[in-house]
Coordinates of all heavy atoms in Angstrom, one line a residue:
M1 N 39.7 5.4 -4.9 CA 38.4 5.3 -4.5 C 37.5 5.6 -5.7 O 37.7 6.6 -6.4 CB 38.1 6.2 -3.4 CG 36.7 6.1 -2.9 SD 36.5 7.1 -1.3 CE 34.8 7.0 -1.1
T2 N 36.5 4.8 -6.0 CA 35.6 5.0 -7.1 C 34.3 5.6 -6.7 O 33.8 5.3 -5.6 CB 35.4 3.7 -7.9 OG1 34.8 2.8 -7.1 CG2 36.6 3.2 -8.5
D3 N 33.7 6.4 -7.5 CA 32.4 6.9 -7.2 C 31.3 5.8 -7.7 O 31.3 5.6 -8.9 CB 32.1 8.2 -7.9 CG 32.9 9.3 -7.2 OD1 33.1 9.2 -6.0 OD2 33.3 10.3 -7.9
R4 N 30.6 5.3 -6.8 CA 29.6 4.3 -7.1 C 28.2 5.1 -7.2 O 28.0 6.0 -6.4 CB 29.5 3.2 -6.1 CG 30.7 2.3 -6.1 CD 30.4 1.2 -5.1 NE 31.6 0.4 -5.1 CZ 31.8 -0.6 -4.2 NH1 30.9 -0.8 -3.3 NH2 32.8 -1.4 -4.3
P5 N 27.4 4.7 -8.2 CA 26.1 5.3 -8.2 C 25.3 5.0 -6.9 O 25.4 3.9 -6.4 CB 25.4 4.7 -9.4 CG 26.2 3.5 -9.8 CD 27.6 3.7 -9.2
V6 N 24.6 5.9 -6.4 CA 23.8 5.7 -5.2 C 22.5 5.0 -5.6 O 21.8 5.4 -6.5 CB 23.5 7.0 -4.5 CG1 22.6 6.8 -3.3 CG2 24.8 7.8 -4.1
R7 N 22.3 3.8 -5.0 CA 21.1 3.1 -5.3 C 19.9 3.7 -4.5 O 20.1 4.0 -3.3 CB 21.2 1.7 -4.8 CG 22.1 0.8 -5.7 CD 21.9 -0.6 -5.3 NE 22.8 -1.4 -6.1 CZ 22.9 -2.7 -5.9 NH1 22.2 -3.3 -5.0 NH2 23.6 -3.4 -6.7
P8 N 18.8 3.9 -5.1 CA 17.6 4.4 -4.4 C 17.2 3.3 -3.4 O 17.4 2.1 -3.6 CB 16.6 4.7 -5.5 CG 17.0 3.9 -6.7 CD 18.5 3.7 -6.6
A9 N 16.5 3.7 -2.4 CA 16.0 2.8 -1.4 C 14.9 2.0 -2.1 O 14.2 2.4 -3.0 CB 15.4 3.5 -0.2
P10 N 14.8 0.7 -1.8 CA 13.8 -0.2 -2.4 C 12.4 0.3 -2.1 O 12.2 0.8 -1.0 CB 14.1 -1.6 -1.9 CG 14.8 -1.3 -0.6 CD 15.6 0.0 -0.8
V11 N 11.5 0.0 -3.0 CA 10.1 0.3 -2.7 C 9.6 -1.0 -2.0 O 9.8 -2.1 -2.4 CB 9.3 0.6 -4.0 CG1 7.8 0.6 -3.7 CG2 9.8 1.8 -4.7
V12 N 8.8 -0.8 -1.0 CA 8.3 -1.9 -0.2 C 6.8 -1.8 -0.2 O 6.2 -0.8 0.2 CB 8.8 -1.9 1.3 CG1 8.2 -3.0 2.0 CG2 10.3 -1.9 1.3
L13 N 6.1 -2.9 -0.6 CA 4.7 -3.0 -0.6 C 4.3 -4.0 0.5 O 4.8 -5.1 0.5 CB 4.2 -3.5 -2.0 CG 4.6 -2.7 -3.2 CD1 4.0 -3.4 -4.5 CD2 4.1 -1.3 -3.1
T14 N 3.4 -3.6 1.4 CA 3.0 -4.4 2.5 C 1.5 -4.5 2.4 O 0.8 -3.6 2.7 CB 3.5 -3.8 3.8 OG1 4.9 -3.6 3.8 CG2 3.1 -4.8 4.9
P15 N 0.9 -5.7 2.1 CA -0.5 -5.9 2.2 C -1.0 -6.0 3.6 O -0.4 -6.8 4.4 CB -0.8 -7.2 1.4 CG 0.5 -8.0 1.5 CD 1.6 -6.9 1.6
C16 N -2.0 -5.3 3.9 CA -2.6 -5.4 5.3 C -3.8 -6.3 5.3 O -4.6 -6.2 4.4 CB -3.0 -4.0 5.8 SG -1.7 -2.8 5.8
A17 N -3.8 -7.2 6.3 CA -5.0 -8.1 6.3 C -6.3 -7.3 6.4 O -6.4 -6.3 7.1 CB -4.9 -9.0 7.6
D18 N -7.2 -7.6 5.5 CA -8.5 -7.0 5.4 C -8.4 -5.4 5.2 O -9.3 -4.7 5.7 CB -9.3 -7.2 6.7 CG -9.4 -8.7 7.0 OD1 -9.4 -9.5 6.0 OD2 -9.6 -9.1 8.2
G19 N -7.4 -5.0 4.6 CA -7.2 -3.6 4.4 C -6.4 -3.2 3.2 O -6.3 -4.0 2.2
P20 N -5.7 -2.0 3.2 CA -5.0 -1.5 2.0 C -3.6 -2.2 1.8 O -3.2 -3.1 2.6 CB -4.8 -0.1 2.4 CG -4.7 -0.1 3.9 CD -5.7 -1.1 4.3
I21 N -2.9 -1.7 0.8 CA -1.6 -2.1 0.6 C -0.7 -0.9 0.9 O -1.0 0.2 0.4 CB -1.3 -2.5 -0.9 CG1 -2.1 -3.8 -1.2 CG2 0.2 -2.7 -1.1 CD1 -1.9 -4.2 -2.6
L22 N 0.2 -1.0 1.9 CA 1.0 0.1 2.3 C 2.2 0.2 1.3 O 2.8 -0.9 0.9 CB 1.6 0.0 3.7 CG 0.5 -0.1 4.8 CD1 1.2 -0.2 6.2 CD2 -0.4 1.1 4.7
V23 N 2.5 1.4 0.8 CA 3.6 1.6 -0.1 C 4.6 2.5 0.5 O 4.3 3.7 0.8 CB 3.1 2.2 -1.5 CG1 4.2 2.4 -2.4 CG2 2.0 1.4 -2.1
R24 N 5.8 2.0 0.7 CA 6.9 2.8 1.2 C 8.0 2.9 0.2 O 8.4 1.9 -0.4 CB 7.5 2.1 2.5 CG 6.5 2.1 3.6 CD 7.2 1.5 4.9 NE 6.3 1.4 6.0 CZ 5.4 0.5 6.3 NH1 5.4 -0.6 5.5 NH2 4.6 0.5 7.3
G25 N 8.5 4.1 0.0 CA 9.6 4.3 -1.0 C 9.2 5.2 -2.1 O 8.0 5.6 -2.3
E26 N 10.2 5.6 -2.9 CA 9.9 6.5 -4.0 C 9.3 5.7 -5.2 O 9.9 4.9 -5.9 CB 11.2 7.1 -4.5 CG 11.7 8.2 -3.6 CD 10.7 9.4 -3.4 OE1 10.2 9.8 -4.4 OE2 10.5 9.8 -2.3
V27 N 8.0 6.0 -5.5 CA 7.3 5.4 -6.6 C 6.3 6.4 -7.1 O 5.8 7.2 -6.3 CB 6.6 4.0 -6.1 CG1 5.6 4.3 -5.1 CG2 6.1 3.3 -7.3
E28 N 6.1 6.3 -8.4 CA 5.2 7.2 -9.0 C 3.9 6.5 -9.1 O 3.8 5.4 -9.6 CB 5.7 7.6 -10.4 CG 5.1 8.8 -11.1 CD 5.8 9.1 -12.3 OE1 5.6 8.5 -13.4 OE2 6.7 10.0 -12.3
I29 N 2.8 7.1 -8.6 CA 1.5 6.5 -8.7 C 0.7 7.3 -9.8 O 0.6 8.5 -9.8 CB 0.8 6.6 -7.3 CG1 1.6 5.9 -6.3 CG2 -0.6 6.1 -7.4 CD1 1.1 6.0 -4.8
R30 N 0.1 6.5 -10.6 CA -0.7 7.1 -11.7 C -2.2 6.6 -11.7 O -2.4 5.5 -11.2 CB -0.1 6.8 -13.1 CG 1.2 7.4 -13.3 CD 1.8 7.1 -14.6 NE 3.1 7.7 -14.8 CZ 3.3 8.8 -15.5 NH1 2.4 9.3 -16.3 NH2 4.5 9.3 -15.6
D31 N -3.1 7.4 -12.1 CA -4.5 7.0 -12.2 C -4.8 6.2 -13.5 O -3.9 6.0 -14.3 CB -5.4 8.2 -12.0 CG -5.3 9.2 -13.2 OD1 -4.8 8.9 -14.2 OD2 -5.8 10.4 -13.0
G32 N -6.0 5.8 -13.7 CA -6.4 5.0 -14.8 C -6.1 5.7 -16.1 O -6.0 5.1 -17.2
A33 N -6.0 7.1 -16.1 CA -5.8 7.9 -17.3 C -4.3 8.1 -17.5 O -4.0 8.8 -18.5 CB -6.6 9.2 -17.3
G34 N -3.5 7.6 -16.6 CA -2.1 7.8 -16.8 C -1.5 9.1 -16.1 O -0.4 9.4 -16.3
Q35 N -2.4 9.8 -15.4 CA -2.0 11.0 -14.8 C -1.3 10.7 -13.4 O -1.8 9.9 -12.7 CB -3.2 12.0 -14.6 CG -3.8 12.4 -15.9 CD -2.9 13.1 -16.8 OE1 -2.3 14.1 -16.4 NE2 -2.8 12.7 -18.0
I36 N -0.3 11.4 -13.1 CA 0.4 11.2 -11.8 C -0.5 11.7 -10.7 O -1.1 12.8 -10.8 CB 1.7 12.0 -11.8 CG1 2.7 11.4 -12.8 CG2 2.3 12.0 -10.4 CD1 4.0 12.2 -13.0
V37 N -0.6 10.9 -9.7 CA -1.4 11.2 -8.5 C -0.5 11.7 -7.5 O 0.4 11.0 -7.1 CB -2.2 10.0 -8.0 CG1 -2.9 10.3 -6.7 CG2 -3.1 9.4 -9.0
P38 N -0.6 13.0 -7.1 CA 0.3 13.6 -6.1 C 0.2 12.8 -4.8 O -0.8 12.4 -4.3 CB -0.2 15.0 -5.9 CG -1.2 15.3 -6.9 CD -1.7 13.9 -7.4
R39 N 1.4 12.6 -4.2 CA 1.5 12.0 -2.8 C 1.8 13.1 -1.8 O 2.6 14.0 -2.1 CB 2.7 11.0 -2.8 CG 2.4 9.8 -3.7 CD 3.6 8.9 -3.7 NE 4.1 8.5 -2.4 CZ 4.9 7.5 -2.2 NH1 5.5 6.9 -3.3 NH2 5.3 7.1 -1.0
R40 N 1.2 12.9 -0.7 CA 1.5 13.9 0.4 C 2.3 13.3 1.5 O 2.7 14.0 2.4 CB 0.1 14.4 0.9 CG -0.6 15.3 -0.1 CD -2.0 15.7 0.4 NE -2.7 16.4 -0.6 CZ -3.5 15.8 -1.6 NH1 -3.6 14.5 -1.5 NH2 -4.1 16.5 -2.5
R41 N 2.5 12.0 1.4 CA 3.3 11.4 2.5 C 4.3 10.4 1.9 O 4.1 9.9 0.8 CB 2.3 10.6 3.4 CG 1.3 11.4 4.1 CD 0.4 10.6 4.9 NE -0.6 11.4 5.6 CZ -1.6 11.0 6.2 NH1 -1.8 9.7 6.4 NH2 -2.4 11.8 6.8
A42 N 5.3 10.1 2.6 CA 6.3 9.1 2.2 C 5.7 7.7 2.1 O 6.1 6.9 1.3 CB 7.5 9.2 3.1
T43 N 4.8 7.4 3.1 CA 4.2 6.1 3.0 C 2.7 6.3 2.7 O 2.1 7.2 3.4 CB 4.3 5.4 4.4 OG1 5.7 5.2 4.7 CG2 3.6 4.1 4.4
V44 N 2.2 5.6 1.8 CA 0.8 5.8 1.4 C 0.1 4.4 1.5 O 0.7 3.4 1.4 CB 0.5 6.4 0.0 CG1 1.1 7.8 0.0 CG2 1.2 5.6 -1.1
A45 N -1.2 4.4 1.7 CA -2.0 3.2 1.7 C -2.9 3.2 0.5 O -3.7 4.1 0.3 CB -2.9 3.2 3.0
L46 N -2.8 2.2 -0.4 CA -3.6 2.1 -1.6 C -4.8 1.2 -1.3 O -4.7 0.1 -0.7 CB -2.8 1.5 -2.7 CG -1.6 2.3 -3.2 CD1 -0.9 1.6 -4.3 CD2 -2.0 3.7 -3.7
C47 N -5.9 1.7 -1.7 CA -7.2 0.9 -1.5 C -7.2 -0.3 -2.4 O -6.8 -0.3 -3.6 CB -8.4 1.8 -1.9 SG -10.0 1.0 -1.8
R48 N -7.6 -1.4 -1.8 CA -7.9 -2.6 -2.6 C -9.3 -3.2 -2.4 O -9.6 -4.3 -2.8 CB -6.8 -3.7 -2.4 CG -6.6 -4.2 -1.0 CD -5.6 -5.3 -1.1 NE -5.2 -5.7 0.3 CZ -4.7 -6.8 0.6 NH1 -4.3 -7.7 -0.3 NH2 -4.4 -7.1 1.8
C49 N -10.1 -2.5 -1.7 CA -11.5 -2.9 -1.5 C -12.4 -2.3 -2.5 O -13.5 -2.8 -2.7 CB -11.9 -2.6 0.0 SG -12.3 -0.9 0.3
G50 N -12.0 -1.2 -3.0 CA -12.9 -0.5 -4.0 C -13.9 0.5 -3.4 O -14.6 1.2 -4.2
A51 N -13.9 0.6 -2.1 CA -14.9 1.5 -1.5 C -14.4 2.9 -1.1 O -15.2 3.7 -0.7 CB -15.5 0.8 -0.2
S52 N -13.2 3.1 -1.3 CA -12.6 4.4 -0.9 C -13.2 5.6 -1.7 O -13.4 5.5 -2.9 CB -11.1 4.4 -1.0 OG -10.6 5.7 -0.7
A53 N -13.4 6.7 -1.1 CA -13.9 7.9 -1.8 C -12.7 8.7 -2.3 O -12.9 9.7 -2.9 CB -14.8 8.7 -0.8
I54 N -11.5 8.3 -1.9 CA -10.3 9.1 -2.3 C -9.3 8.1 -3.1 O -8.1 8.2 -2.9 CB -9.6 9.7 -1.1 CG1 -9.2 8.7 -0.1 CG2 -10.5 10.8 -0.5 CD1 -8.3 9.2 1.0
K55 N -9.9 7.2 -3.9 CA -9.0 6.3 -4.7 C -8.0 7.1 -5.5 O -8.3 8.2 -5.9 CB -9.9 5.5 -5.7 CG -10.8 4.5 -5.0 CD -11.5 3.8 -6.1 CE -12.7 3.0 -5.5 NZ -14.0 3.8 -5.5
P56 N -6.8 6.6 -5.6 CA -6.4 5.2 -5.3 C -6.0 5.0 -3.8 O -5.6 3.9 -3.4 CB -5.2 5.0 -6.2 CG -4.5 6.4 -6.2 CD -5.7 7.4 -6.2
F57 N -6.2 6.0 -3.0 CA -5.8 5.9 -1.6 C -6.9 5.3 -0.7 O -8.1 5.5 -1.0 CB -5.3 7.2 -1.0 CG -4.2 7.8 -1.9 CD1 -4.4 9.0 -2.6 CD2 -3.0 7.2 -1.9 CE1 -3.4 9.5 -3.4 CE2 -1.9 7.8 -2.7 CZ -2.1 8.9 -3.4
C58 N -6.5 4.7 0.4 CA -7.5 4.2 1.3 C -8.0 5.3 2.2 O -7.2 6.1 2.7 CB -6.7 3.1 2.2 SG -7.6 2.5 3.6
D59 N -9.3 5.2 2.5 CA -9.9 6.2 3.4 C -10.5 5.5 4.7 O -11.2 6.2 5.4 CB -10.9 7.1 2.8 CG -12.1 6.4 2.4 OD1 -12.2 5.1 2.5 OD2 -13.1 7.0 1.8
G60 N -10.2 4.2 4.8 CA -10.7 3.5 6.0 C -12.1 2.9 5.7 O -12.6 2.1 6.6
S61 N -12.7 3.1 4.5 CA -14.0 2.5 4.2 C -14.0 1.0 4.3 O -15.1 0.4 4.4 CB -14.5 3.0 2.9 OG -14.7 4.4 2.9
H62 N -12.8 0.3 4.1 CA -12.8 -1.1 4.1 C -13.4 -1.7 5.4 O -13.9 -2.8 5.4 CB -11.4 -1.6 3.8 CG -10.4 -1.1 4.8 ND1 -9.7 0.0 4.7 CD2 -10.0 -1.7 6.0 CE1 -8.9 0.2 5.7 NE2 -9.0 -0.8 6.6
K63 N -13.2 -1.0 6.5 CA -13.7 -1.5 7.8 C -15.3 -1.4 7.7 O -15.9 -2.4 8.2 CB -13.2 -0.6 8.9 CG -11.7 -0.7 9.1 CD -11.2 0.2 10.2 CE -9.7 0.2 10.3 NZ -9.2 1.3 11.1
A64 N -15.8 -0.4 7.2 CA -17.3 -0.2 7.2 C -18.0 -1.3 6.3 O -19.1 -1.6 6.6 CB -17.7 1.2 6.7
I65 N -17.3 -1.7 5.3 CA -17.9 -2.7 4.4 C -17.6 -4.1 4.7 O -18.0 -5.0 4.1 CB -17.6 -2.4 2.9 CG1 -16.1 -2.6 2.6 CG2 -18.0 -1.0 2.5 CD1 -15.8 -2.6 1.1
G66 N -16.7 -4.3 5.7 CA -16.3 -5.6 6.1 C -15.5 -6.3 5.1 O -15.5 -7.5 5.0
F67 N -14.6 -5.5 4.5 CA -13.7 -6.1 3.4 C -12.8 -7.2 4.1 O -12.3 -7.0 5.2 CB -12.8 -5.0 2.8 CG -11.8 -5.5 1.8 CD1 -12.3 -6.0 0.6 CD2 -10.5 -5.4 2.1 CE1 -11.3 -6.5 -0.3 CE2 -9.5 -5.8 1.1 CZ -10.0 -6.4 0.0
R68 N -12.7 -8.3 3.4 CA -11.9 -9.4 3.9 C -10.9 -9.8 2.8 O -11.2 -9.9 1.6 CB -12.7 -10.6 4.3 CG -13.7 -10.4 5.4 CD -13.1 -10.4 6.7 NE -12.6 -11.8 7.0 CZ -11.9 -12.1 8.1 NH1 -11.7 -11.2 9.0 NH2 -11.5 -13.3 8.2
T69 N -9.7 -10.2 3.2 CA -8.7 -10.7 2.2 C -8.4 -12.1 2.6 O -8.7 -12.6 3.7 CB -7.4 -9.9 2.3 OG1 -6.9 -10.0 3.7 CG2 -7.6 -8.4 1.9
D70 N -7.9 -12.8 1.6 CA -7.6 -14.3 1.8 C -6.1 -14.5 2.0 O -5.7 -15.7 2.0 CB -8.1 -15.1 0.6 CG -9.6 -15.0 0.5 OD1 -10.3 -14.9 1.5 OD2 -10.2 -15.1 -0.6
D71 N -5.3 -13.4 2.0 CA -3.9 -13.6 2.1 C -3.5 -14.0 3.5 O -3.2 -13.1 4.3 CB -3.1 -12.4 1.6 CG -3.6 -11.1 2.1 OD1 -4.8 -11.1 2.7 OD2 -3.0 -10.1 1.9
E72 N -3.5 -15.3 3.8 CA -3.3 -15.8 5.1 C -1.9 -15.3 5.7 O -1.8 -15.2 6.9 CB -3.3 -17.3 5.1 CG -4.7 -17.8 4.8 CD -5.8 -17.4 5.8 OE1 -5.5 -17.3 7.0 OE2 -6.9 -17.2 5.4
G73 N -0.9 -15.0 4.8 CA 0.4 -14.7 5.3 C 0.4 -13.3 6.0 O 1.3 -13.1 6.8
S74 N -0.6 -12.5 5.7 CA -0.6 -11.2 6.4 C -1.6 -11.1 7.5 O -1.8 -10.1 8.2 CB -1.0 -10.1 5.4 OG -2.3 -10.3 4.9
R75 N -2.2 -12.2 7.8 CA -3.2 -12.3 8.9 C -2.5 -12.9 10.2 O -1.9 -14.0 10.1 CB -4.4 -13.1 8.5 CG -5.6 -13.1 9.4 CD -6.7 -13.9 8.9 NE -7.1 -13.6 7.5 CZ -7.8 -12.6 7.1 NH1 -8.3 -11.8 8.0 NH2 -8.0 -12.5 5.9
P76 N -2.7 -12.3 11.3 CA -2.1 -12.9 12.5 C -2.8 -14.2 12.8 O -4.0 -14.4 12.5 CB -2.5 -11.9 13.6 CG -3.0 -10.6 12.9 CD -3.4 -11.0 11.5
E77 N -2.0 -15.1 13.3 CA -2.6 -16.4 13.6 C -3.6 -16.3 14.7 O -3.5 -15.6 15.6 CB -1.5 -17.4 14.1 CG -0.6 -17.9 13.0 CD 0.3 -19.0 13.5 OE1 -0.1 -19.8 14.5 OE2 1.4 -19.1 13.0
E78 N -4.7 -17.0 14.5 CA -5.8 -17.1 15.4 C -5.6 -18.3 16.4 O -5.2 -19.3 15.9 CB -7.1 -17.2 14.7 CG -7.4 -15.9 13.9 CD -8.8 -16.0 13.2 OE1 -9.6 -16.9 13.6 OE2 -9.0 -15.3 12.2
P79 N -5.9 -18.1 17.6 CA -5.7 -19.2 18.5 C -6.6 -20.3 18.2 O -7.8 -20.1 17.8 CB -6.0 -18.6 19.9 CG -6.8 -17.3 19.6 CD -6.4 -16.9 18.3
T80 N -6.1 -21.5 18.4 CA -7.0 -22.7 18.1 C -7.6 -23.2 19.5 O -7.0 -23.0 20.5 CB -6.2 -23.9 17.5 OG1 -5.0 -24.2 18.4 CG2 -5.6 -23.5 16.1
T81 N -8.7 -23.8 19.4 CA -9.4 -24.2 20.6 C -9.3 -25.7 20.7 O -9.1 -26.4 19.9 CB -10.8 -23.7 20.7 OG1 -11.5 -24.2 19.5 CG2 -10.9 -22.2 20.8
Ligands
FES1 S1 -8.7 -0.6 1.4 FE1 -9.2 0.9 2.7 S2 -10.9 2.0 1.8 FE2 -10.4 0.4 0.4

């Protein structure tokens, strides 16, 4: 029997329609100055609307500003009439 190196779990990024990008997995997040931003949770939501007061994390402000994304793949299908 050989000892195989243990592969870390993959990092998964999930864009949310009209909202943040969810990040699951071990990843180092740095700010614009290159400093590590401490994580308090295993899954974090990164702001992509620019309105968050706690960047780089989402604080829910995207809803208040009516942020919309164009990534149709992450948007549930709307019923046709
Ligand atoms: S994406 Fe949520 S506050 Fe920006």
Side-chain angles (χ1 to χ4, degrees):
M1 183 171 172
T2 60
D3 288 328
R4 293 184 181 172
V6 177
R7 286 187 182 181
V11 174
V12 178
L13 304 177
T14 306
C16 299
D18 305 332
I21 296 176
L22 299 182
V23 180
R24 293 181 178 91
E26 286 299 316
V27 64
E28 197 172 82
I29 299 172
R30 294 180 180 253
D31 64 17
Q35 299 299 308
I36 294 173
V37 178
R39 293 173 60 168
R40 293 178 184 84
R41 298 178 179 174
T43 299
V44 295
L46 296 180
C47 174
R48 63 176 170 161
C49 75
S52 175
I54 58 168
K55 292 182 194 90
F57 304 112
C58 169
D59 68 357
S61 295
H62 57 271
K63 293 176 188 167
I65 67 167
F67 178 67
R68 298 279 297 176
T69 57
D70 293 330
D71 46 349
E72 296 296 327
S74 63
R75 190 181 308 282
E77 282 190 31
E78 295 180 18
T80 55
T81 53

